[in-house]
Amino acid sequence: MSFTFTPLGDQAIMIEAGNEITEEVQQQIRKAAALLEGRPPVWMVESIPAFTTIAVFYNPLAVLYDEAKSALEELLQHASEVPVPEPRIVEIPVCYGGEFGPDLEFVAQHNGLTAEEVVAIHSAGDYAVSMIGFAPGFPFISGMSEKIAAPRRESPRLRIPERTVGIAGIQTGVYPIETPGGWQLIGRTPLRLFRPEQEMPSLLKAGDTIKFRQISEQEYYEWEEHHDAEDS
């Protein structure tokens, strides 16, 4: 198991396991991330895993780059010994189509399917969170069937409501906050993925297994009302 180390600004190191997104590289990243989480150097501020890399941010007042790099090189020699953490299974309820998923019909037409077939395929997939990025708590979710793949919009929307489920290429994801974006929107979940008031603000993390479950519009509003009442 080999890694390369390069500077990332003046307070971080980029650790790379490969330049292609493969299952083997993803396994290396998960092992390294688990090792860093379980045995963090005292000078480490945080580590952020991505598709093929991990960014390790450090306190420049506590350690120099060369020292941090050497320590990480030594630590990650043991990454192959780390078992891949058992993934959490997180169910995400989704109300598809209508005002919640204005691009569902486009995705269906693009793939020669009906909207119902798109929903059935999307909600039946086996998914994994590859990384969190782009926006706070935004999960890039792999494992979607190519049968419902769709290109990004030519003109991104300026405002996408929080918790909207989208498709871009062969990936799917959920917008945790209101933000601009160019993904094709197929539904919305009442589940909050970004909770800044909590110690761990992102509900999801890399390596999680995702199960999408179709719900009705009534179930969506009932869920939202129930959980809003709990939060108040």
Side-chain angles (χ1 to χ4, degrees):
M1 187 174 290
S2 62
F3 300 93
T4 59
F5 302 80
T6 54
L8 181 63
D10 60 358
Q11 298 182 34
I13 297 176
M14 183 66 78
I15 303 171
E16 186 172 9
N19 53 21
E20 293 184 7
I21 303 173
T22 65
E23 182 59 30
E24 180 182 358
V25 168
Q26 292 261 281
Q27 291 282 73
Q28 286 184 251
I29 291 298
R30 288 172 189 159
K31 284 174 175 282
L35 184 59
L36 287 166
E37 184 176 339
R39 296 166 55 183
V42 294
W43 39 259
M44 189 178 84
V45 177
E46 66 175 330
S47 60
I48 303 175
F51 288 111
T52 62
T53 62
I54 302 176
V56 175
F57 291 82
Y58 60 86
N59 180 356
L61 300 178
V63 68
L64 298 175
Y65 169 79
D66 288 338
E67 296 171 336
K69 178 185 174 187
S70 295
L72 290 172
E73 287 175 332
E74 182 177 350
L75 177 63
L76 292 184
Q77 287 179 5
H78 304 284
S80 60
E81 305 164 12
V82 178
V84 176
E86 192 69 24
R88 296 186 309 156
I89 299 176
V90 182
E91 184 180 85
I92 299 180
V94 181
C95 182
Y96 291 93
E99 64 174 305
F100 294 154
D103 299 324
L104 179 61
E105 290 294 340
F106 169 81
V107 173
Q109 293 173 13
H110 178 77
N111 290 286
L113 301 169
T114 65
E116 291 75 16
E117 288 173 325
V118 171
V119 171
I121 293 169
H122 187 268
S123 59
D126 292 319
Y127 299 97
V129 177
S130 295
M131 63 171 285
I132 303 294
F134 163 63
F138 187 101
F140 287 85
I141 301 172
S142 58
M144 192 184 76
S145 170
E146 292 186 7
K147 294 178 180 178
I148 57 173
R152 286 175 168 83
R153 288 171 55 87
E154 293 184 6
S155 178
R157 291 180 171 92
L158 297 180
R159 295 176 62 184
I160 293 177
E162 64 176 299
R163 308 193 306 270
T164 299
V165 178
I167 287 176
I170 58 171
Q171 289 191 116
T172 187
V174 185
Y175 286 86
I177 61 173
E178 183 181 283
T179 179
W183 291 37
Q184 304 291 347
L185 310 182
I186 63 169
R188 194 179 304 167
T189 176
L191 187 65
R192 292 178 66 212
L193 270 62
F194 182 60
R195 304 160 299 171
E197 73 280 359
Q198 299 197 14
E199 183 178 351
M200 294 294 291
S202 177
L203 173 66
L204 303 176
K205 62 181 181 179
D208 285 347
T209 294
I210 302 299
K211 300 289 186 182
F212 290 108
R213 176 172 63 87
Q214 183 181 11
I215 60 173
S216 66
E217 188 172 331
Q218 180 179 345
E219 288 175 299
Y220 176 94
Y221 287 120
E222 287 175 351
W223 176 297
E224 199 171 49
E225 182 179 355
H226 175 70
H227 287 272
D228 283 350
E230 284 186 344
D231 294 338
S232 60

mmCIF file with all atom_site columns, all heavy atoms in Angstrom, residues 100-119:
data_model
loop_
_atom_site.group_PDB
_atom_site.id
_atom_site.type_symbol
_atom_site.label_atom_id
_atom_site.label_alt_id
_atom_site.label_comp_id
_atom_site.label_asym_id
_atom_site.label_entity_id
_atom_site.label_seq_id
_atom_site.pdbx_PDB_ins_code
_atom_site.Cartn_x
_atom_site.Cartn_y
_atom_site.Cartn_z
_atom_site.occupancy
_atom_site.B_iso_or_equiv
_atom_site.pdbx_formal_charge
_atom_site.auth_seq_id
_atom_site.auth_comp_id
_atom_site.auth_asym_id
_atom_site.auth_atom_id
_atom_site.pdbx_PDB_model_num
ATOM 1   N N   . PHE A 1 100 ? -40.733 18.671 -6.042  1.00 0.00 ? 100 PHE A N   1
ATOM 2   C CA  . PHE A 1 100 ? -39.506 18.256 -5.382  1.00 0.00 ? 100 PHE A CA  1
ATOM 3   C C   . PHE A 1 100 ? -38.452 17.759 -6.371  1.00 0.00 ? 100 PHE A C   1
ATOM 4   O O   . PHE A 1 100 ? -37.258 17.805 -6.076  1.00 0.00 ? 100 PHE A O   1
ATOM 5   C CB  . PHE A 1 100 ? -39.797 17.140 -4.368  1.00 0.00 ? 100 PHE A CB  1
ATOM 6   C CG  . PHE A 1 100 ? -40.638 17.575 -3.202  1.00 0.00 ? 100 PHE A CG  1
ATOM 7   C CD1 . PHE A 1 100 ? -41.419 16.658 -2.529  1.00 0.00 ? 100 PHE A CD1 1
ATOM 8   C CD2 . PHE A 1 100 ? -40.641 18.892 -2.771  1.00 0.00 ? 100 PHE A CD2 1
ATOM 9   C CE1 . PHE A 1 100 ? -42.194 17.036 -1.440  1.00 0.00 ? 100 PHE A CE1 1
ATOM 10  C CE2 . PHE A 1 100 ? -41.410 19.287 -1.695  1.00 0.00 ? 100 PHE A CE2 1
ATOM 11  C CZ  . PHE A 1 100 ? -42.194 18.361 -1.019  1.00 0.00 ? 100 PHE A CZ  1
ATOM 12  N N   . GLY A 1 101 ? -38.895 17.256 -7.522  1.00 0.00 ? 101 GLY A N   1
ATOM 13  C CA  . GLY A 1 101 ? -37.972 16.699 -8.513  1.00 0.00 ? 101 GLY A CA  1
ATOM 14  C C   . GLY A 1 101 ? -38.311 17.134 -9.914  1.00 0.00 ? 101 GLY A C   1
ATOM 15  O O   . GLY A 1 101 ? -38.771 16.333 -10.740 1.00 0.00 ? 101 GLY A O   1
ATOM 16  N N   . PRO A 1 102 ? -38.086 18.422 -10.238 1.00 0.00 ? 102 PRO A N   1
ATOM 17  C CA  . PRO A 1 102 ? -38.525 18.954 -11.535 1.00 0.00 ? 102 PRO A CA  1
ATOM 18  C C   . PRO A 1 102 ? -37.805 18.365 -12.745 1.00 0.00 ? 102 PRO A C   1
ATOM 19  O O   . PRO A 1 102 ? -38.285 18.530 -13.872 1.00 0.00 ? 102 PRO A O   1
ATOM 20  C CB  . PRO A 1 102 ? -38.239 20.462 -11.404 1.00 0.00 ? 102 PRO A CB  1
ATOM 21  C CG  . PRO A 1 102 ? -37.168 20.558 -10.353 1.00 0.00 ? 102 PRO A CG  1
ATOM 22  C CD  . PRO A 1 102 ? -37.454 19.449 -9.394  1.00 0.00 ? 102 PRO A CD  1
ATOM 23  N N   . ASP A 1 103 ? -36.681 17.669 -12.523 1.00 0.00 ? 103 ASP A N   1
ATOM 24  C CA  . ASP A 1 103 ? -35.948 17.117 -13.663 1.00 0.00 ? 103 ASP A CA  1
ATOM 25  C C   . ASP A 1 103 ? -36.160 15.610 -13.821 1.00 0.00 ? 103 ASP A C   1
ATOM 26  O O   . ASP A 1 103 ? -35.499 14.983 -14.654 1.00 0.00 ? 103 ASP A O   1
ATOM 27  C CB  . ASP A 1 103 ? -34.445 17.389 -13.509 1.00 0.00 ? 103 ASP A CB  1
ATOM 28  C CG  . ASP A 1 103 ? -34.133 18.877 -13.454 1.00 0.00 ? 103 ASP A CG  1
ATOM 29  O OD1 . ASP A 1 103 ? -34.811 19.650 -14.156 1.00 0.00 ? 103 ASP A OD1 1
ATOM 30  O OD2 . ASP A 1 103 ? -33.233 19.260 -12.690 1.00 0.00 ? 103 ASP A OD2 1
ATOM 31  N N   . LEU A 1 104 ? -37.079 15.051 -13.058 1.00 0.00 ? 104 LEU A N   1
ATOM 32  C CA  . LEU A 1 104 ? -37.301 13.606 -13.146 1.00 0.00 ? 104 LEU A CA  1
ATOM 33  C C   . LEU A 1 104 ? -37.718 13.196 -14.554 1.00 0.00 ? 104 LEU A C   1
ATOM 34  O O   . LEU A 1 104 ? -37.224 12.192 -15.087 1.00 0.00 ? 104 LEU A O   1
ATOM 35  C CB  . LEU A 1 104 ? -38.359 13.177 -12.126 1.00 0.00 ? 104 LEU A CB  1
ATOM 36  C CG  . LEU A 1 104 ? -38.731 11.691 -12.111 1.00 0.00 ? 104 LEU A CG  1
ATOM 37  C CD1 . LEU A 1 104 ? -37.518 10.827 -11.783 1.00 0.00 ? 104 LEU A CD1 1
ATOM 38  C CD2 . LEU A 1 104 ? -39.861 11.422 -11.117 1.00 0.00 ? 104 LEU A CD2 1
ATOM 39  N N   . GLU A 1 105 ? -38.604 13.960 -15.173 1.00 0.00 ? 105 GLU A N   1
ATOM 40  C CA  . GLU A 1 105 ? -39.056 13.631 -16.525 1.00 0.00 ? 105 GLU A CA  1
ATOM 41  C C   . GLU A 1 105 ? -37.906 13.722 -17.525 1.00 0.00 ? 105 GLU A C   1
ATOM 42  O O   . GLU A 1 105 ? -37.813 12.906 -18.451 1.00 0.00 ? 105 GLU A O   1
ATOM 43  C CB  . GLU A 1 105 ? -40.203 14.552 -16.939 1.00 0.00 ? 105 GLU A CB  1
ATOM 44  C CG  . GLU A 1 105 ? -41.505 14.304 -16.195 1.00 0.00 ? 105 GLU A CG  1
ATOM 45  C CD  . GLU A 1 105 ? -42.125 12.950 -16.502 1.00 0.00 ? 105 GLU A CD  1
ATOM 46  O OE1 . GLU A 1 105 ? -41.769 12.363 -17.562 1.00 0.00 ? 105 GLU A OE1 1
ATOM 47  O OE2 . GLU A 1 105 ? -42.947 12.472 -15.698 1.00 0.00 ? 105 GLU A OE2 1
ATOM 48  N N   . PHE A 1 106 ? -37.023 14.711 -17.359 1.00 0.00 ? 106 PHE A N   1
ATOM 49  C CA  . PHE A 1 106 ? -35.872 14.817 -18.264 1.00 0.00 ? 106 PHE A CA  1
ATOM 50  C C   . PHE A 1 106 ? -34.982 13.587 -18.145 1.00 0.00 ? 106 PHE A C   1
ATOM 51  O O   . PHE A 1 106 ? -34.538 13.031 -19.162 1.00 0.00 ? 106 PHE A O   1
ATOM 52  C CB  . PHE A 1 106 ? -35.046 16.066 -17.956 1.00 0.00 ? 106 PHE A CB  1
ATOM 53  C CG  . PHE A 1 106 ? -33.722 16.089 -18.674 1.00 0.00 ? 106 PHE A CG  1
ATOM 54  C CD1 . PHE A 1 106 ? -33.630 16.494 -19.989 1.00 0.00 ? 106 PHE A CD1 1
ATOM 55  C CD2 . PHE A 1 106 ? -32.567 15.654 -18.021 1.00 0.00 ? 106 PHE A CD2 1
ATOM 56  C CE1 . PHE A 1 106 ? -32.407 16.480 -20.657 1.00 0.00 ? 106 PHE A CE1 1
ATOM 57  C CE2 . PHE A 1 106 ? -31.340 15.636 -18.676 1.00 0.00 ? 106 PHE A CE2 1
ATOM 58  C CZ  . PHE A 1 106 ? -31.261 16.051 -19.998 1.00 0.00 ? 106 PHE A CZ  1
ATOM 59  N N   . VAL A 1 107 ? -34.681 13.160 -16.911 1.00 0.00 ? 107 VAL A N   1
ATOM 60  C CA  . VAL A 1 107 ? -33.842 11.982 -16.704 1.00 0.00 ? 107 VAL A CA  1
ATOM 61  C C   . VAL A 1 107 ? -34.488 10.763 -17.354 1.00 0.00 ? 107 VAL A C   1
ATOM 62  O O   . VAL A 1 107 ? -33.810 9.945  -17.995 1.00 0.00 ? 107 VAL A O   1
ATOM 63  C CB  . VAL A 1 107 ? -33.606 11.735 -15.202 1.00 0.00 ? 107 VAL A CB  1
ATOM 64  C CG1 . VAL A 1 107 ? -32.873 10.409 -14.975 1.00 0.00 ? 107 VAL A CG1 1
ATOM 65  C CG2 . VAL A 1 107 ? -32.815 12.880 -14.585 1.00 0.00 ? 107 VAL A CG2 1
ATOM 66  N N   . ALA A 1 108 ? -35.813 10.647 -17.222 1.00 0.00 ? 108 ALA A N   1
ATOM 67  C CA  . ALA A 1 108 ? -36.525 9.524  -17.822 1.00 0.00 ? 108 ALA A CA  1
ATOM 68  C C   . ALA A 1 108 ? -36.420 9.562  -19.350 1.00 0.00 ? 108 ALA A C   1
ATOM 69  O O   . ALA A 1 108 ? -36.052 8.559  -19.991 1.00 0.00 ? 108 ALA A O   1
ATOM 70  C CB  . ALA A 1 108 ? -37.990 9.551  -17.384 1.00 0.00 ? 108 ALA A CB  1
ATOM 71  N N   . GLN A 1 109 ? -36.718 10.711 -19.950 1.00 0.00 ? 109 GLN A N   1
ATOM 72  C CA  . GLN A 1 109 ? -36.673 10.838 -21.401 1.00 0.00 ? 109 GLN A CA  1
ATOM 73  C C   . GLN A 1 109 ? -35.253 10.628 -21.935 1.00 0.00 ? 109 GLN A C   1
ATOM 74  O O   . GLN A 1 109 ? -35.058 10.003 -22.985 1.00 0.00 ? 109 GLN A O   1
ATOM 75  C CB  . GLN A 1 109 ? -37.212 12.202 -21.817 1.00 0.00 ? 109 GLN A CB  1
ATOM 76  C CG  . GLN A 1 109 ? -38.700 12.383 -21.546 1.00 0.00 ? 109 GLN A CG  1
ATOM 77  C CD  . GLN A 1 109 ? -39.169 13.810 -21.819 1.00 0.00 ? 109 GLN A CD  1
ATOM 78  O OE1 . GLN A 1 109 ? -38.443 14.601 -22.424 1.00 0.00 ? 109 GLN A OE1 1
ATOM 79  N NE2 . GLN A 1 109 ? -40.373 14.137 -21.363 1.00 0.00 ? 109 GLN A NE2 1
ATOM 80  N N   . HIS A 1 110 ? -34.269 11.149 -21.211 1.00 0.00 ? 110 HIS A N   1
ATOM 81  C CA  . HIS A 1 110 ? -32.870 11.015 -21.636 1.00 0.00 ? 110 HIS A CA  1
ATOM 82  C C   . HIS A 1 110 ? -32.455 9.556  -21.730 1.00 0.00 ? 110 HIS A C   1
ATOM 83  O O   . HIS A 1 110 ? -31.620 9.190  -22.571 1.00 0.00 ? 110 HIS A O   1
ATOM 84  C CB  . HIS A 1 110 ? -31.967 11.760 -20.644 1.00 0.00 ? 110 HIS A CB  1
ATOM 85  C CG  . HIS A 1 110 ? -30.506 11.658 -20.960 1.00 0.00 ? 110 HIS A CG  1
ATOM 86  N ND1 . HIS A 1 110 ? -29.905 12.402 -21.956 1.00 0.00 ? 110 HIS A ND1 1
ATOM 87  C CD2 . HIS A 1 110 ? -29.516 10.897 -20.416 1.00 0.00 ? 110 HIS A CD2 1
ATOM 88  C CE1 . HIS A 1 110 ? -28.616 12.109 -22.007 1.00 0.00 ? 110 HIS A CE1 1
ATOM 89  N NE2 . HIS A 1 110 ? -28.352 11.200 -21.092 1.00 0.00 ? 110 HIS A NE2 1
ATOM 90  N N   . ASN A 1 111 ? -33.054 8.713  -20.894 1.00 0.00 ? 111 ASN A N   1
ATOM 91  C CA  . ASN A 1 111 ? -32.671 7.305  -20.849 1.00 0.00 ? 111 ASN A CA  1
ATOM 92  C C   . ASN A 1 111 ? -33.715 6.371  -21.464 1.00 0.00 ? 111 ASN A C   1
ATOM 93  O O   . ASN A 1 111 ? -33.574 5.146  -21.388 1.00 0.00 ? 111 ASN A O   1
ATOM 94  C CB  . ASN A 1 111 ? -32.419 6.897  -19.400 1.00 0.00 ? 111 ASN A CB  1
ATOM 95  C CG  . ASN A 1 111 ? -31.164 7.524  -18.828 1.00 0.00 ? 111 ASN A CG  1
ATOM 96  O OD1 . ASN A 1 111 ? -30.058 7.120  -19.156 1.00 0.00 ? 111 ASN A OD1 1
ATOM 97  N ND2 . ASN A 1 111 ? -31.337 8.528  -17.982 1.00 0.00 ? 111 ASN A ND2 1
ATOM 98  N N   . GLY A 1 112 ? -34.753 6.948  -22.088 1.00 0.00 ? 112 GLY A N   1
ATOM 99  C CA  . GLY A 1 112 ? -35.773 6.131  -22.709 1.00 0.00 ? 112 GLY A CA  1
ATOM 100 C C   . GLY A 1 112 ? -36.580 5.324  -21.711 1.00 0.00 ? 112 GLY A C   1
ATOM 101 O O   . GLY A 1 112 ? -36.984 4.187  -21.981 1.00 0.00 ? 112 GLY A O   1
ATOM 102 N N   . LEU A 1 113 ? -36.830 5.924  -20.556 1.00 0.00 ? 113 LEU A N   1
ATOM 103 C CA  . LEU A 1 113 ? -37.562 5.253  -19.486 1.00 0.00 ? 113 LEU A CA  1
ATOM 104 C C   . LEU A 1 113 ? -38.779 6.080  -19.086 1.00 0.00 ? 113 LEU A C   1
ATOM 105 O O   . LEU A 1 113 ? -38.919 7.232  -19.487 1.00 0.00 ? 113 LEU A O   1
ATOM 106 C CB  . LEU A 1 113 ? -36.659 5.065  -18.254 1.00 0.00 ? 113 LEU A CB  1
ATOM 107 C CG  . LEU A 1 113 ? -35.365 4.266  -18.435 1.00 0.00 ? 113 LEU A CG  1
ATOM 108 C CD1 . LEU A 1 113 ? -34.496 4.409  -17.199 1.00 0.00 ? 113 LEU A CD1 1
ATOM 109 C CD2 . LEU A 1 113 ? -35.683 2.795  -18.708 1.00 0.00 ? 113 LEU A CD2 1
ATOM 110 N N   . THR A 1 114 ? -39.625 5.485  -18.268 1.00 0.00 ? 114 THR A N   1
ATOM 111 C CA  . THR A 1 114 ? -40.700 6.255  -17.644 1.00 0.00 ? 114 THR A CA  1
ATOM 112 C C   . THR A 1 114 ? -40.178 6.821  -16.322 1.00 0.00 ? 114 THR A C   1
ATOM 113 O O   . THR A 1 114 ? -39.174 6.338  -15.777 1.00 0.00 ? 114 THR A O   1
ATOM 114 C CB  . THR A 1 114 ? -41.921 5.378  -17.360 1.00 0.00 ? 114 THR A CB  1
ATOM 115 O OG1 . THR A 1 114 ? -41.563 4.382  -16.382 1.00 0.00 ? 114 THR A OG1 1
ATOM 116 C CG2 . THR A 1 114 ? -42.413 4.695  -18.628 1.00 0.00 ? 114 THR A CG2 1
ATOM 117 N N   . ALA A 1 115 ? -40.869 7.828  -15.806 1.00 0.00 ? 115 ALA A N   1
ATOM 118 C CA  . ALA A 1 115 ? -40.476 8.388  -14.514 1.00 0.00 ? 115 ALA A CA  1
ATOM 119 C C   . ALA A 1 115 ? -40.545 7.323  -13.430 1.00 0.00 ? 115 ALA A C   1
ATOM 120 O O   . ALA A 1 115 ? -39.682 7.271  -12.538 1.00 0.00 ? 115 ALA A O   1
ATOM 121 C CB  . ALA A 1 115 ? -41.388 9.562  -14.157 1.00 0.00 ? 115 ALA A CB  1
ATOM 122 N N   . GLU A 1 116 ? -41.541 6.472  -13.500 1.00 0.00 ? 116 GLU A N   1
ATOM 123 C CA  . GLU A 1 116 ? -41.688 5.401  -12.499 1.00 0.00 ? 116 GLU A CA  1
ATOM 124 C C   . GLU A 1 116 ? -40.506 4.447  -12.550 1.00 0.00 ? 116 GLU A C   1
ATOM 125 O O   . GLU A 1 116 ? -40.028 3.974  -11.499 1.00 0.00 ? 116 GLU A O   1
ATOM 126 C CB  . GLU A 1 116 ? -42.988 4.633  -12.731 1.00 0.00 ? 116 GLU A CB  1
ATOM 127 C CG  . GLU A 1 116 ? -44.267 5.414  -12.435 1.00 0.00 ? 116 GLU A CG  1
ATOM 128 C CD  . GLU A 1 116 ? -44.612 6.447  -13.514 1.00 0.00 ? 116 GLU A CD  1
ATOM 129 O OE1 . GLU A 1 116 ? -44.030 6.359  -14.637 1.00 0.00 ? 116 GLU A OE1 1
ATOM 130 O OE2 . GLU A 1 116 ? -45.439 7.328  -13.242 1.00 0.00 ? 116 GLU A OE2 1
ATOM 131 N N   . GLU A 1 117 ? -39.997 4.166  -13.743 1.00 0.00 ? 117 GLU A N   1
ATOM 132 C CA  . GLU A 1 117 ? -38.839 3.272  -13.868 1.00 0.00 ? 117 GLU A CA  1
ATOM 133 C C   . GLU A 1 117 ? -37.582 3.923  -13.296 1.00 0.00 ? 117 GLU A C   1
ATOM 134 O O   . GLU A 1 117 ? -36.762 3.254  -12.654 1.00 0.00 ? 117 GLU A O   1
ATOM 135 C CB  . GLU A 1 117 ? -38.629 2.898  -15.338 1.00 0.00 ? 117 GLU A CB  1
ATOM 136 C CG  . GLU A 1 117 ? -39.685 1.932  -15.865 1.00 0.00 ? 117 GLU A CG  1
ATOM 137 C CD  . GLU A 1 117 ? -39.574 1.711  -17.364 1.00 0.00 ? 117 GLU A CD  1
ATOM 138 O OE1 . GLU A 1 117 ? -39.221 2.671  -18.098 1.00 0.00 ? 117 GLU A OE1 1
ATOM 139 O OE2 . GLU A 1 117 ? -39.854 0.579  -17.809 1.00 0.00 ? 117 GLU A OE2 1
ATOM 140 N N   . VAL A 1 118 ? -37.432 5.220  -13.512 1.00 0.00 ? 118 VAL A N   1
ATOM 141 C CA  . VAL A 1 118 ? -36.285 5.928  -12.939 1.00 0.00 ? 118 VAL A CA  1
ATOM 142 C C   . VAL A 1 118 ? -36.323 5.837  -11.421 1.00 0.00 ? 118 VAL A C   1
ATOM 143 O O   . VAL A 1 118 ? -35.309 5.552  -10.759 1.00 0.00 ? 118 VAL A O   1
ATOM 144 C CB  . VAL A 1 118 ? -36.254 7.406  -13.381 1.00 0.00 ? 118 VAL A CB  1
ATOM 145 C CG1 . VAL A 1 118 ? -35.186 8.185  -12.617 1.00 0.00 ? 118 VAL A CG1 1
ATOM 146 C CG2 . VAL A 1 118 ? -36.002 7.506  -14.876 1.00 0.00 ? 118 VAL A CG2 1
ATOM 147 N N   . VAL A 1 119 ? -37.487 6.096  -10.841 1.00 0.00 ? 119 VAL A N   1
ATOM 148 C CA  . VAL A 1 119 ? -37.644 6.035  -9.385  1.00 0.00 ? 119 VAL A CA  1
ATOM 149 C C   . VAL A 1 119 ? -37.336 4.635  -8.878  1.00 0.00 ? 119 VAL A C   1
ATOM 150 O O   . VAL A 1 119 ? -36.634 4.460  -7.869  1.00 0.00 ? 119 VAL A O   1
ATOM 151 C CB  . VAL A 1 119 ? -39.072 6.462  -8.970  1.00 0.00 ? 119 VAL A CB  1
ATOM 152 C CG1 . VAL A 1 119 ? -39.297 6.194  -7.492  1.00 0.00 ? 119 VAL A CG1 1
ATOM 153 C CG2 . VAL A 1 119 ? -39.290 7.927  -9.292  1.00 0.00 ? 119 VAL A CG2 1
#
